[in-house]
Amino acid sequence: MKLRLIIFLSVALGLVSGAFLYSLLSVKRHEKALAAARAEGRADAEKAMADELAALKPVVLKKVANAESKPDGTHFTYEYVKPHDPGLEPFYRLAHDGDLLHHLPEIQAIDGLLMLPKPIRFVMAECREPNAFYSPERGEVVMCYETMKVLLDRGRQLATDQDVADKGDAYAQRYLEANLRFILLHETGHALIDLLEMPITGREEDAVDQLATTLMQRFAGMNESSRQVSDNLRMASNWFLVRSTGQYNLDAYADEHALGEQRYFNLQCLIYGSNPARYVGIVTEGDLPEARAKTCPAEARRVSKSWLRLLLPHVAPKYEMTEEKANRLFEQRERERNRNAEVPYVR
């Protein structure tokens, strides 16, 4: 009896195990079949989509220009010509190795700002005499290495003769840079008058002195305070007195340039007139007579406004603005410069 029971239970257990195994194998076969069906269906769907896409004509998307983008102005070109005179080699190295022209803030501020009929080419070269000039035929503003040498020597002499804060080459280097900036902007003024056919009713030399002053006041480096800007301009005005003797012949009076003393006082007037309260020392120290100083605020405003109105029509579309907006930007720039110059830091 017990034996039959054991046999029965063994058979039943075998049947159950077989049924379970069959069920498990069936599930796996079903899953494989389902996966195969899905894969086949996906392949069919992908093939159908590919066939439809192949039947379509290719679509080329054209690059749409940004409606708000506007063209830049005419950019300047720059060249440093190696001198033949070994004595001028240090000035070539100073200009070339330091890429001097690309580090003059006023030149860089107007590079690409205006629409010109052709680029202005700035050249630093040997000229066999101290000089700086604009060549209309070549469209070049030329600064001579000989001028750099004379300016550096003059700066060293002033540092020795006068009681200046920066002694020796530190002051001389500042004097050199300040005058390079003014002289190059002066010659750039000649280039702009020529290329843009600007209407100038007075003496052109006086007009470009005014432009150079305006550009140095408006586009000085962002790390230069208003006081530093005025110091640079006063260094530039000192250069006007270098060849002045106080004794002139008819040729001097007939020259296209005003006398050095006149150019000096004209520049003092523009500096003082830009902010009489800040630069009252120019008058009290005797660098500008009181009689002339009275008219300087109006003169400085008139000069700045006149040059702004002459240049605005030629500003590139990318930068075009109203006179009011330009003045707001200049005021904001001056505030930022003064703030940057006064920010304390740990050395």
Side-chain angles (χ1 to χ4, degrees):
M1 184 68 179
K2 289 181 179 180
L3 181 60
R4 285 200 297 268
L5 180 59
I6 292 171
I7 293 172
F8 175 76
L9 291 174
S10 298
V11 172
L13 182 60
L15 291 173
V16 171
S17 299
F20 176 76
L21 181 60
Y22 176 78
S23 175
L24 184 61
L25 292 174
S26 297
V27 168
K28 289 185 176 182
R29 283 198 301 271
H30 179 71
E31 288 177 349
K32 288 182 179 180
L34 184 61
R38 285 175 177 171
E40 184 178 356
R42 184 165 56 249
D44 291 342
E46 290 176 353
K47 184 177 183 304
M49 183 176 291
D51 291 341
E52 290 181 12
L53 290 175
L56 295 175
K57 292 182 179 180
V59 178
V60 179
L61 296 178
K62 294 182 179 180
K63 189 174 182 180
V64 180
N66 186 351
E68 296 181 359
S69 66
K70 295 181 179 180
D72 201 358
T74 308
H75 284 275
F76 304 148
T77 60
Y78 305 92
E79 182 181 7
Y80 306 95
V81 181
K82 189 174 177 61
H84 296 284
D85 182 353
L88 298 175
E89 184 72 18
F91 299 96
Y92 166 71
R93 288 295 170 198
L94 176 65
H96 176 272
D97 295 355
D99 197 7
L100 180 64
L101 292 169
H102 277 103
H103 288 86
L104 300 181
E106 299 86 1
I107 297 294
Q108 293 310 303
I110 61 175
D111 188 352
L113 179 67
L114 303 170
M115 300 296 290
L116 304 174
K118 64 179 180 180
I120 299 174
R121 184 169 186 78
F122 287 83
V123 180
M124 304 195 78
E126 178 181 355
C127 305
R128 296 192 174 90
E129 64 177 1
N131 200 2
F133 57 92
Y134 166 63
S135 170
E137 294 77 14
R138 297 191 298 269
E140 293 177 344
V141 169
V142 180
M143 169 59 70
C144 305
Y145 296 130
E146 292 88 344
T147 300
M148 295 177 65
K149 183 178 185 304
V150 172
L151 287 170
L152 189 63
D153 290 343
R154 173 66 174 172
R156 287 170 175 163
Q157 180 185 346
L158 288 173
T160 302
D161 296 344
Q162 299 181 9
D163 183 19
V164 296
D166 297 330
K167 293 294 184 182
D169 272 3
Y171 180 86
Q173 290 288 346
R174 286 183 56 213
Y175 186 87
L176 170 62
E177 181 182 345
N179 277 280
L180 282 178
R181 289 159 74 170
F182 188 91
I183 294 170
L184 283 169
L185 292 171
H186 174 101
E187 299 303 333
T188 302
H190 286 304
L192 294 178
I193 290 173
D194 173 47
L195 294 173
L196 299 176
E197 299 181 348
M198 288 183 168
I200 301 296
T201 59
R203 183 162 28 197
E204 185 173 318
E205 293 296 336
D206 291 343
V208 294
D209 273 355
Q210 294 168 353
L211 175 62
T213 303
T214 301
L215 291 176
M216 287 184 71
Q217 289 174 328
R218 299 302 194 186
F219 292 117
M222 291 306 295
N223 62 337
E224 294 180 300
S225 68
S226 296
R227 177 63 64 180
Q228 289 172 308
V229 173
S230 69
D231 287 345
N232 289 338
L233 285 169
R234 297 193 74 182
M235 287 181 182
S237 68
N238 175 273
W239 178 245
F240 297 149
L241 302 178
V242 170
R243 290 176 290 181
S244 297
T245 63
Q247 298 177 352
Y248 301 104
N249 55 24
L250 287 178
D251 289 338
Y253 289 117
D255 193 79
E256 60 185 357
H257 295 86
L259 300 178
E261 291 88 347
Q262 291 176 307
R263 297 178 73 187
Y264 174 86
F265 286 117
N266 287 340
L267 187 44
Q268 304 307 310
C269 182
L270 293 179
I271 299 170
Y272 169 75
S274 67
N275 193 326
R278 178 181 291 157
Y279 303 124
V280 66
I282 294 177
V283 179
T284 59
E285 293 169 10
D287 288 320
L288 183 66
E290 289 187 23
R292 175 69 185 279
K294 292 177 181 178
T295 64
C296 290
E299 183 175 337
R301 287 193 299 271
R302 183 172 62 252
V303 166
S304 179
K305 182 182 293 186
S306 297
W307 270 109
L308 185 59
R309 289 181 176 179
L310 284 171
L311 291 173
L312 275 178
H314 304 285
V315 169
K318 184 176 181 179
Y319 306 108
E320 61 187 0
M321 65 187 72
T322 63
E323 183 179 337
E324 181 182 2
K325 183 178 180 181
N327 283 318
R328 286 201 306 269
L329 289 175
F330 289 144
E331 291 170 1
Q332 178 184 352
R333 183 183 175 90
E334 183 177 9
R335 287 195 299 270
E336 290 178 1
R337 287 204 325 266
N338 288 324
R339 184 170 61 249
N340 292 343
E342 295 167 1
V343 171
Y345 64 94
V346 177
R347 184 181 292 277

